[in-house]
Amino acid sequence: MEHAPYHYAVMARAIDMIDTHRGDPLSLADLADALGMSASHVQRVFTTWVGVSPKRYQQFLALDHARTMLRENFTTLAVADAVGLSGSSRLHDLFLRWEAMTPGEYARQGEGLTVRWGWCDSVFGPVLAMATERGLCGLAFAAETGRAAAMADLRGRWPLATFTEDRDAVAGWTEAALTGTGEARLHMIGTPLQIKVWEALLRIPSGQVTTYSEIARSIGLEKAVRAVGTAVGRNPVSLLIPCHRALRKSGALGGYHWGLPVKRTLLAWESAREESQKGDIRRNIA
């Protein structure tokens, strides 16, 4: 797979154009013309990154797709518990390790902690990554919020930490997160409730969704759906802790800290890749 920043940028433009297009589906020819590329090149690069053609992807991005996912790909977290966290924390070929800060570390608000940060490109727009020596502690999509807001958001989680720009220090884990290959480590900071909610989110497999009320039920706080929703929204590590997979009971997207267009795109992207992988399995069996 090509990981050149150029292709990240081109695919980000393509996905944004498809997402904002209204009316009839955007044809491959029109998409290629807008990107200044040949139709065959767009088809090849898009399919490499997303897993399906632009035409098929538009079906996943339809506004009612979330409701379809809730009807057909709903994950009951009690079942995920029975399977075990290690069996459902993979994103494609990615293996995820994580640890939470102790209550004492949380209370110190990052005092004595060095957080290194850097900006990276992705098919979902610019990404701000932050990490301690123990793993990624922040991954923010800035396409909707803007870079300044994303930076202020993540820095505000650790007001007493020392922040150092060091893209190389975060590049490896960030690349693993964005491509779904290799190993990524997380170093999380949050309240006990937030940590419980984020652990529950880790049990939702790629290509599937659950509801805020189901998350609340799975952690023994069935009547605290609103508090659980707030904790979901405070997740500092987008994509790897998949808060985008939490929907309302109605199938509506609900909120998303990094912008609803990004949430809709993430769900469509994961569904597309899951379908592509299932297609590969069926072909291998045949």
Side-chain angles (χ1 to χ4, degrees), residues 197-214:
V197 170
W198 299 340
E199 285 179 328
L201 290 171
L202 282 169
R203 296 195 293 271
I204 310 171
S206 178
Q208 298 188 35
V209 295
T210 194
T211 63
Y212 296 105
S213 56
E214 171 65 18

Side-chain angles (χ1 to χ4, degrees), residues 9-260:
V10 169
M11 289 303 97
R13 284 181 57 204
I15 287 173
D16 181 64
M17 289 174 58
I18 291 172
D19 187 33
T20 57
H21 182 70
R22 297 293 179 265
D24 295 332
L26 191 63
S27 71
L28 178 62
D30 288 340
L31 183 61
D33 184 61
L35 294 172
M37 301 166 61
S38 69
S40 60
H41 192 198
V42 171
Q43 181 87 343
R44 179 178 65 82
V45 176
F46 193 96
T47 302
T48 297
W49 280 108
V50 181
V52 295
S53 68
K55 180 179 179 179
R56 181 67 176 130
Y57 177 75
Q58 290 181 75
Q59 297 173 356
F60 285 112
L61 200 60
L63 291 178
D64 62 352
H65 177 60
R67 292 180 174 84
T68 301
M69 291 187 72
L70 195 60
R71 185 171 61 249
E72 299 178 0
N73 296 308
F74 176 75
T75 292
T76 301
L77 294 179
V79 175
D81 275 335
V83 174
L85 180 60
S86 63
S88 56
S89 62
R90 300 180 67 91
L91 175 65
H92 313 306
D93 296 324
L94 174 68
F95 188 75
L96 183 65
R97 298 182 186 275
W98 88 307
E99 62 176 297
M101 293 184 183
T102 66
E105 289 174 317
Y106 177 77
R108 288 194 292 273
Q109 298 184 302
E111 183 177 8
L113 190 69
T114 296
V115 177
R116 305 185 186 280
W117 61 271
W119 286 99
C120 304
D121 295 313
S122 82
V123 292
F124 310 108
V127 174
L128 173 61
M130 290 189 176
T132 70
E133 62 181 9
R134 288 149 70 179
L136 286 170
C137 58
L139 198 66
F141 291 120
E144 297 296 316
T145 63
R147 294 193 178 215
M151 176 66 76
D153 185 321
L154 291 189
R155 286 182 67 120
R157 317 268 180 146
W158 311 276
L160 300 182
T162 298
F163 291 86
T164 302
E165 183 175 8
D166 188 348
R167 188 182 186 281
D168 290 341
V170 302
W173 287 329
T174 307
E175 180 73 3
L178 296 174
T179 62
T181 56
E183 179 178 290
R185 295 182 181 179
L186 301 182
H187 188 199
M188 301 303 297
I189 181 172
T191 67
L193 172 61
Q194 289 171 342
I195 296 298
K196 282 186 178 181
V197 170
W198 299 340
E199 285 179 328
L201 290 171
L202 282 169
R203 296 195 293 271
I204 310 171
S206 178
Q208 298 188 35
V209 295
T210 194
T211 63
Y212 296 105
S213 56
E214 171 65 18
I215 294 171
R217 185 180 301 109
S218 74
I219 63 173
L221 296 172
E222 189 170 355
K223 296 182 179 180
V225 176
R226 186 180 297 274
V228 166
T230 299
V232 170
R234 288 294 293 168
N235 166 34
V237 181
S238 59
L239 185 61
L240 291 182
I241 296 183
C243 50
H244 59 280
R245 297 177 195 158
L247 306 177
R248 293 176 178 168
K249 279 186 175 181
S250 64
L253 289 179
Y256 189 59
H257 194 69
W258 313 112
L260 285 180

